[in-house]
Amino acid sequence: MNASQAQSAVIPTLRYSDGQAAIEWLCKAFGFEKNLVVPDKSGAIAHAQLTFGNGMIMLGSANNNDFSKLVKSPSESGGIGSQSVYIVVPNVDAHHAKAIEARAEIVIAIKDEDYGGRGYSCRDPEGHIWNFGSYNPWAKH
């Protein structure tokens, strides 16, 4: 997706206690690719953009800025998140195997859904919940 196509893009943003470790794990476990990584003066992640197909997430290391006063990672808030991300993948079973190999905690086993598609849910090392599936809500049903 280029800038002209992203007129109204939805880009989830996440906070991690260790942004650099999160970036490496998300790339290894889920197949994200680094688009932009900006460290701050201390070496923590001030801002990062990771892509997956035509989608993107942004993340940063938790710190004491204004945004971090509003948003906490699950590891900072007792292990419970307030949202999750759903990502359409072409081969759910292969993606699931890669996530297991990277030691993602599977919280909802891979299964076929009644409404169509196949998917699973897992937790990353800092507690964020991720959902992956073949169900594409943009496709005509």
Side-chain angles (χ1 to χ4, degrees):
M1 178 182 313
N2 62 41
S4 66
Q5 293 171 310
Q7 298 285 328
S8 296
V10 176
I11 303 172
T13 60
L14 300 114
R15 283 285 177 239
Y16 285 91
S17 296
D18 186 341
Q20 187 61 46
I23 290 168
E24 298 307 319
W25 192 87
L26 292 168
C27 291
K28 177 183 174 186
F30 298 156
F32 279 97
E33 295 182 7
K34 297 173 192 173
N35 177 268
L36 175 69
V37 177
V38 181
D40 66 15
K41 293 175 186 174
S42 72
I45 301 302
H47 176 79
Q49 298 166 189
L50 304 181
T51 58
F52 188 97
N54 64 353
M56 177 182 288
I57 63 167
M58 294 188 294
L59 66 91
S61 298
N63 56 33
N64 290 323
N65 66 15
D66 290 338
F67 188 71
S68 288
K69 293 174 186 172
L70 301 170
V71 177
K72 302 290 181 201
S73 72
S75 65
E76 298 172 298
S77 62
I80 302 296
S82 63
Q83 72 280 323
S84 65
V85 178
Y86 177 79
I87 300 174
V88 179
V89 295
N91 186 331
V92 178
D93 291 279
H95 193 275
H96 181 259
K98 186 175 182 177
I100 289 173
E101 184 179 313
R103 299 183 183 229
E105 178 189 353
I106 305 301
V107 295
I108 298 177
I110 193 166
K111 63 180 179 174
D112 294 323
E113 299 291 353
D114 293 339
Y115 52 84
R118 180 169 174 78
Y120 74 97
S121 299
C122 63
R123 186 183 325 266
D124 73 21
E126 289 203 26
H128 291 284
I129 301 296
W130 295 84
N131 309 283
F132 297 93
S134 62
Y135 176 75
N136 182 346
W138 296 106
K140 293 185 180 188
H141 302 283

